[in-house]
């Protein structure tokens, strides 16, 4: 170390210039480091929730929910119109709103659940929030928005860094021996922080937690090294000693303590790399690298500042508070046996209460809008059951069973929504279509577009009495007024015989006013009224495909569907296709559940357990639960064992480093135990000196240790005073 110290002192200027150049380069590199705020990326690869999330993103794409609560629109129609307005924005993929449902309506408040087909921290989410907020402002509505991106913004930790630096400056200016020392200390730390931020570039990106609090943690963890070197230099720099020689001695004498202290910190941080939750790897590696860089700056940047500004520091010396520690050290030594008992009690109590502490796996949202929305509509989390396509046939029964579970507000799958088989009456209600038209479409679909055979007289009677009612708004008043004369033509030309559509067209060749398409529509409507099978079913997807792919191209419906209606049907088909693609793929299907339970609650964990039991019984293939609730449950199941493992590894590594440093088995044993128990009482070694003797070396060592905490030399104790208990006294009069 002597040669290294001499090299540092001799070439301090060149070394300083090298680190300054590196810091400048790292300034430009730091701004190019990506910041990842999605904590799900750090979930262990072995976690079922992580596997399911990756499969979902690959098969169905990313989707981000946004909750928009609005106060202003009155009445169901105005609220539904606003939902339509939101649906029209370019960055909003879908909007869920059900008028009258307590999940969406609560007095003056309406809740719109918006989905954006992109990641939770993408620009698309921010733009969608801005679009929704702008729509509310234009209409004079009051709004509240909750999404993961806003929660993360509210949890920003940059302010912590500012407060930490200010507090550090205050403490350093109060306790430093010179007004310049705090500036040099913080400058050196700043160089180490900048280099650490820049050297994160090869990692590609770091977590927002690491980016936000890494700098302040690096400062906290490594400021001691600079203070230790500065204090050592002050002790070596006695009157008449050349600053270069004093600094060289300080580097040699302080290297052992500084290096061992930093190594224990680095080793402890590197143990975080063993975490399966890879945020530990991200944070641990960056901080360990930061502490190492701080150590290098301590030995390479600070020496140059000391040598260049030694005279200035001497001229700006100031008084510092120096609490007298002798009374405390005397008390600690004299009560050492009692404190050992207290220490053991604390150790045992800590071990007991440690097992009772419940870790938090999710950070509470600090977005004030989220709190307001929860007050009006309660908590609602999304939970997804992802299953293999081979079990699609079982999804209906499973979805119905899930809907009945406590805490589940709703559950939807392809088989219970877009792919659900509905009878005509139910389809008419859910699709908001006229029931006669739906019956016509069902008849048309189940007979492959054929209208069958119709009796001429019966068809004429139907056209006179029932056709206009069944067609409703699909025929205008002018056409309805001509139905009587049209019925007469049918009766005269067709008589009481039965005709197919082709035969009827030929029979009416002398009546060009009767168009083949209109004739087919009348025959189809007749069949739908009198030959419809109530047992027929279709899914929403089948009905829409029938409309777009066949009905719109059939001349029978030319008068029934206008140009705008045709475009609406095309848009609706595309929407249904997107909805289907969000629920099923070639290899997987999913059940999307809304859960009215906090993700970290015992009820949520019980629901996940109940779901797993059901899925184990019903599904033949593999399945995955995806959502915050399953994530918390899985992490809670593995956290205790992993935490204990990493703790023991950290203790073992620190024990080994201290053992190699001091080459004494007792010191690392005491040190590690003290760290784990947070008690300083065992630092005072037991004294075997009879109580009739003056203060012993052990007591003096304890007093010296306390005084050394403040960087001040300890005076040799004065001769015993006339105090009657002088032989064993630790009072101030005997030691000051």
């Amino acid at each position: 170390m002597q040669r290294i110290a001499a090299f540092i002192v001799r070439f301090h200027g060149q070394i300083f210039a090298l680190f300054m150049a590196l810091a400048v380069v790292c300034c430009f590199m730091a701004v190019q480091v990506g910041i990842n705020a999605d904590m799900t990326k750090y979930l262990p690869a072995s976690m079922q929730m992580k596997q399911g999330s990756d499969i979902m993103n690959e098969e169905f794409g990313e989707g981000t929910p946004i909750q928009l609560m609005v106060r202003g629109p009155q009445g169901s129609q105005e609220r539904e119109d606003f939902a339509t307005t939101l649906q029209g924005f370019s960055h909003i993929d879908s909007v869920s709103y059900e008028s009258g449902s307590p999940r969406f309506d609560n007095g003056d408040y309406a809740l719109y659940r918006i989905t954006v087909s992109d990641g939770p921290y993408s620009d698309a989410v921010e733009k969608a929030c801005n679009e929704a907020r702008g729509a509310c402002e234009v209409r004079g509505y009051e709004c509240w928005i909750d999404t993961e991106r806003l929660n993360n913004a509210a949890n920003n930790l940059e302010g912590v860094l500012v407060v930490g630096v200010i507090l550090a400056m205050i403490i350093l200016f109060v306790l430093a021996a010179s007004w310049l020392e705090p500036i040099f200390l913080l400058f050196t730390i700043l160089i180490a922080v900048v280099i650490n931020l820049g050297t994160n570039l090869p990692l590609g990106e770091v977590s927002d937690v690491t980016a936000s609090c890494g700098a302040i943690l690096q400062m906290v963890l490594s400021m001691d090294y600079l203070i230790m070197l500065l204090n050592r230099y002050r002790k070596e720099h006695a009157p008449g000693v050349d600053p270069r020689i004093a600094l060289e001695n300080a580097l040699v004498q302080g290297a052992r303590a500084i290096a061992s202290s930093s190594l224990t910190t680095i080793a402890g941080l590197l143990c975080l790399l063993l975490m399966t939750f890879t945020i530990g790897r991200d944070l641990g590696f960056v901080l360990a690298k930061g502490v190492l860089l701080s150590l290098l700056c301590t030995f390479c940047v600070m020496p140059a500042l000391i040598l260049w500004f030694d005279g200035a520091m001497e001229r700006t010396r100031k008084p510092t508070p120096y609490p007298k520690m002798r009374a405390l050290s005397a008390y600690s030594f004299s009560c050492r046996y009692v404190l050992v008992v207290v220490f053991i009690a604390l150790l045992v109590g800590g071990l007991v209460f440690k097992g009772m502490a419940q870790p938090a796996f999710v950070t509470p949202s600090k977005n004030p809008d989220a709190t307001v929305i929860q007050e009006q509509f309660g908590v609602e989390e999304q939970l997804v059951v992802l299953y293999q396509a081979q079990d699609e046939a079982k999804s209906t029964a499973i979805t119905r069973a899930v809907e009945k579970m406590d805490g589940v507000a709703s559950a939807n799958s392809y088989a219970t929504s877009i792919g659900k088989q509905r009878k005509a009456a139910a389809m008419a209600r859910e699709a908001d279509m006229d029931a006669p038209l739906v019956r016509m479409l069902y008849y048309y679909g189940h007979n492959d577009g054929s209208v069958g055979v119709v009796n001429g007289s019966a068809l004429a009677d139907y056209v006179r009495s029932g056709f206009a009612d069944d067609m409703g708004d699909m025929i205008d008043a002018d056409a309805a007024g001509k139905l009587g004369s049209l019925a007469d033509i049918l009766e005269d030309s067709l008589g009481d015989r039965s005709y197919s559509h082709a035969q009827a067209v030929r029979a009416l060749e002398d009546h060009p006013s009767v168009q083949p398409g209109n004739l087919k529509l009348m025959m189809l409507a007749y069949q739908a009224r009198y030959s419809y099978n109530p047992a027929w079913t279709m899914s929403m997807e089948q009905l829409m495909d029938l409309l777009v792919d066949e009905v719109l191209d059939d001349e029978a419906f030319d008068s029934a569907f206008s140009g705008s209606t045709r475009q609406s049907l095309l848009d609706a088909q595309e929407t249904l296709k997107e909805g289907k693609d969000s629920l099923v793929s070639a290899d997987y299907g999913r059940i999307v559940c809304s859960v009215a339970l906090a993700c970290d609650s015992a009820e949520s964990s019980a629901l996940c357990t109940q779901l797993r039991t059901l899925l184990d019984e019903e599904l033949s293939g593999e399945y995955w639960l995806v959502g915050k609730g399953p994530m918390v449950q899985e992490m809670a199941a593995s956290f205790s064992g992993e935490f204990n493992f990493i703790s023991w590894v950290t203790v073992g590594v620190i024990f080994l480093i201290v053992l190699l440093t001091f080459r004494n088995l007792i010191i690392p044993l005491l040190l590690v135990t003290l760290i784990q128990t947070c008690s300083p009482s065992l630092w005072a070694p037991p004294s075997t000196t009879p109580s009739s003797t003056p203060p012993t070396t052990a007591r003096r060592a304890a007093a010296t240790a306390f005084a050394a905490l403040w960087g001040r030399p300890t005076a040799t104790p004065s001769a015993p005073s006339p105090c009657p208990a002088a032989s064993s006294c630790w009072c101030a009069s005997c030691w000051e």
Side-chain angles (χ1 to χ4, degrees):
M1 186 61 201
Q2 187 71 48
R3 292 183 178 180
I4 296 176
F7 179 85
I8 292 172
V9 171
R10 181 179 178 182
F11 297 101
H12 62 275
Q14 293 88 332
I15 295 173
F16 183 87
L18 176 64
F19 273 79
M20 291 304 100
L22 182 59
V24 171
V25 173
C26 286
C27 281
F28 293 98
M29 296 171 60
V31 298
Q32 301 178 51
V33 179
I35 307 297
N36 171 50
D38 186 1
M39 289 297 104
T40 59
K41 291 186 177 181
Y42 299 106
L43 294 176
S46 60
M47 183 180 285
Q48 188 195 53
M49 156 57 187
K50 171 66 172 175
Q51 296 170 358
S53 179
D54 291 343
I55 293 173
M56 271 198 353
N57 291 339
E58 181 178 348
E59 292 287 324
F60 303 101
E62 291 188 276
T64 300
I66 300 173
Q67 292 192 102
L68 170 67
M69 188 176 75
V70 178
R71 181 167 63 183
Q74 300 297 317
S76 60
Q77 188 59 50
E78 186 178 355
R79 294 182 176 185
E80 288 175 358
D81 290 344
F82 186 64
T84 304
T85 300
L86 293 172
Q87 183 71 67
F89 288 119
S90 59
H91 294 95
I92 293 178
D93 187 58
S94 65
V95 179
S96 295
Y97 172 75
E98 296 177 14
S99 179
S101 169
R103 291 181 58 218
F104 297 91
D105 281 338
N106 182 14
D108 294 335
Y109 299 91
L111 183 64
Y112 300 90
R113 292 186 166 88
I114 299 170
T115 302
V116 177
S117 56
D118 212 333
Y121 301 97
S122 63
D123 292 338
V125 172
E126 182 179 7
K127 292 176 181 177
C129 291
N130 292 336
E131 289 172 342
R133 188 178 287 109
C136 293
E137 291 175 354
V138 167
R139 291 163 176 76
Y141 299 160
E142 191 176 2
C143 69
W144 297 262
I145 299 178
D146 179 35
T147 188
E148 191 68 27
R149 182 184 178 99
L150 298 179
N151 294 342
N152 177 262
N155 288 327
N156 204 300
L157 297 176
E158 275 77 6
V160 176
L161 176 60
V162 176
V163 174
V165 171
I166 293 174
L167 291 177
M169 288 290 289
I170 293 173
I171 294 172
L172 290 174
F173 272 115
V174 170
L175 297 178
S178 166
W179 292 109
L180 293 179
E181 286 182 9
I183 299 175
F184 298 150
L185 294 173
L186 289 176
F187 176 79
T188 305
I189 286 293
L190 175 63
I191 297 303
V193 168
V194 169
I195 295 175
N196 191 35
L197 293 175
T199 52
N200 287 334
L201 185 59
L203 301 177
E205 65 177 17
V206 296
S207 71
D208 65 330
V209 175
T210 302
S212 299
C213 65
I216 187 68
L217 288 176
Q218 182 180 349
M219 182 185 74
V220 170
L221 292 171
S222 53
M223 181 66 77
D224 289 352
Y225 314 147
L226 295 167
I227 296 174
M228 292 165 67
L229 177 63
L230 196 57
N231 283 343
R232 191 70 201 184
Y233 171 75
R234 198 179 297 120
K235 291 180 180 180
E236 297 290 341
H237 191 201
V241 178
D242 184 83
R244 289 174 172 266
I245 296 175
L247 179 59
E248 186 175 331
N249 291 337
L251 289 170
V252 173
Q253 298 301 323
R256 182 181 180 187
I258 295 173
S260 59
S261 176
S262 62
L263 283 176
T264 56
T265 303
I266 292 172
L269 292 170
L270 289 178
C271 287
L272 294 177
L273 271 62
L274 300 175
M275 291 179 63
T276 56
F277 188 48
T278 54
I279 184 67
R281 302 179 191 178
D282 183 87
L283 185 62
F285 177 77
V286 171
L287 285 179
K289 176 165 62 71
V291 172
L292 178 61
L293 289 169
S294 296
L295 179 65
L296 292 176
C297 288
T298 298
F299 289 128
C300 297
V301 176
M302 192 65 181
L305 296 176
I306 290 175
L307 292 176
W308 290 339
F309 296 97
D310 177 70
M313 286 191 293
E314 289 297 326
R315 291 190 297 271
T316 57
R317 291 185 68 88
K318 67 178 186 66
T320 59
Y322 177 52
K324 295 182 179 180
M325 304 296 294
R326 296 194 181 281
L328 179 59
S329 64
Y331 171 79
S332 177
F333 187 81
S334 60
C335 299
R336 59 191 182 278
Y337 299 115
V338 175
L339 293 178
V340 167
V341 176
V342 173
F343 166 80
I344 295 173
L346 287 174
L347 177 61
V348 174
L351 292 173
V352 172
F353 288 111
K354 167 182 167 292
M356 298 171 63
Q358 296 298 321
F361 297 101
V362 292
T363 304
S365 172
K366 291 185 173 65
N367 178 14
D369 284 10
T371 304
V372 177
I373 293 174
Q374 288 184 13
E375 289 174 354
Q376 296 297 328
F377 291 93
V379 176
E380 186 158 317
E381 299 281 355
Q382 190 177 80
L383 188 154
V384 177
V385 178
L386 181 68
Y387 56 89
Q388 294 182 317
Q390 67 192 56
D391 288 313
E392 181 60 39
K394 303 175 183 178
S395 62
T396 300
I398 294 174
T399 305
R400 298 302 180 217
V402 171
E403 282 182 318
K404 298 176 182 178
M405 293 182 179
D406 292 339
V408 178
S410 68
N412 290 296
S413 60
Y414 169 75
T416 61
S417 56
I418 300 171
K420 178 183 178 181
Q421 293 293 315
R422 299 169 173 87
K423 293 183 178 180
M427 181 68 76
R429 288 193 303 270
E430 295 188 35
D432 193 22
M433 298 172 67
D434 293 332
L437 174 60
V438 175
R439 287 197 299 269
M440 287 172 57
L441 295 172
Y442 270 48
Y443 183 92
Y444 187 95
H446 283 278
N447 287 277
D448 298 325
S450 171
V451 295
V453 178
V454 179
N455 180 272
S457 297
L459 178 61
D461 290 340
Y462 170 70
V463 171
R464 287 192 188 97
S465 60
F467 181 65
D469 293 336
D470 287 348
M471 295 303 293
D473 295 335
M474 287 187 289
I475 60 172
D476 54 31
D478 183 55
K482 299 177 181 179
L483 290 178
S485 60
L486 181 61
D488 293 339
I489 294 173
L490 293 175
E491 190 170 29
D492 292 341
S493 301
L494 300 180
D496 198 29
R497 295 175 56 188
S498 296
Y499 296 84
S500 67
H501 176 251
Q503 292 170 337
V505 169
R506 287 194 295 270
L508 293 167
E509 286 179 343
D510 296 335
H511 299 278
S513 60
V514 183
Q515 299 295 322
N518 293 338
L519 179 61
K520 184 176 182 179
L521 181 62
M522 290 184 289
M523 295 177 72
L524 180 62
Y526 174 86
Q527 294 282 36
R529 171 175 279 203
Y530 297 109
S531 300
Y532 167 75
N533 185 348
W536 283 339
T537 63
M538 295 180 74
S539 70
M540 190 75 73
E541 180 188 16
Q542 289 172 330
L543 178 63
M544 194 57 62
D545 289 344
L546 175 68
L547 278 166
V548 174
D549 299 338
E550 298 183 41
V551 171
L552 291 184
D553 293 332
D554 195 320
E555 60 181 354
F557 293 92
D558 285 347
S559 61
F561 297 107
S562 63
S564 60
T565 303
R566 290 171 178 268
Q567 185 58 48
S568 297
L569 290 174
L570 291 172
D571 293 341
Q573 184 189 42
E574 183 63 27
T575 300
L576 282 179
K577 183 179 182 302
E578 292 174 356
K580 177 183 178 180
D581 292 342
S582 71
L583 292 173
V584 291
S585 69
D587 299 314
Y588 298 94
R590 59 178 185 170
I591 302 171
V592 180
C593 309
S594 292
V595 179
L597 300 170
C599 62
D600 55 350
S601 64
E603 293 79 6
S604 176
S605 179
L607 173 62
C608 291
T609 301
Q610 189 178 3
L611 273 172
R612 295 183 197 279
T613 301
L614 171 67
L615 298 173
D616 286 337
E617 294 173 354
E618 298 294 333
L619 298 180
S620 60
E622 194 173 1
Y623 68 86
W624 301 264
L625 296 185
V626 181
K628 288 185 179 179
M631 179 188 72
V632 170
Q633 187 191 45
E634 287 193 71
M635 291 183 66
S638 62
F639 175 78
S640 180
E642 181 172 338
F643 175 78
N644 289 333
F645 169 73
I646 292 175
S647 296
W648 281 113
V649 171
T650 305
V651 167
V653 170
I654 293 176
F655 181 91
L656 182 62
I657 292 174
V658 178
L659 178 64
L660 294 175
T661 301
F662 291 96
R663 302 183 185 278
N664 183 302
L665 187 62
I666 299 299
I667 292 177
L669 184 63
L670 291 177
L671 178 62
V672 169
T673 308
L674 285 167
I675 292 173
Q676 293 297 101
T677 315
C678 298
S679 170
S681 58
L682 293 186
W683 273 107
S687 172
T688 57
T689 307
S691 60
S692 57
T693 61
T696 65
T697 303
R699 300 179 199 172
R700 189 175 298 117
T704 303
F706 274 100
L709 293 175
W710 296 90
R712 299 294 185 88
T714 306
T716 302
S718 59
S721 69
C723 176
S727 60
S728 60
C729 183
W730 278 80
C731 68
S733 63
C734 294
W735 278 83
E736 289 294 330

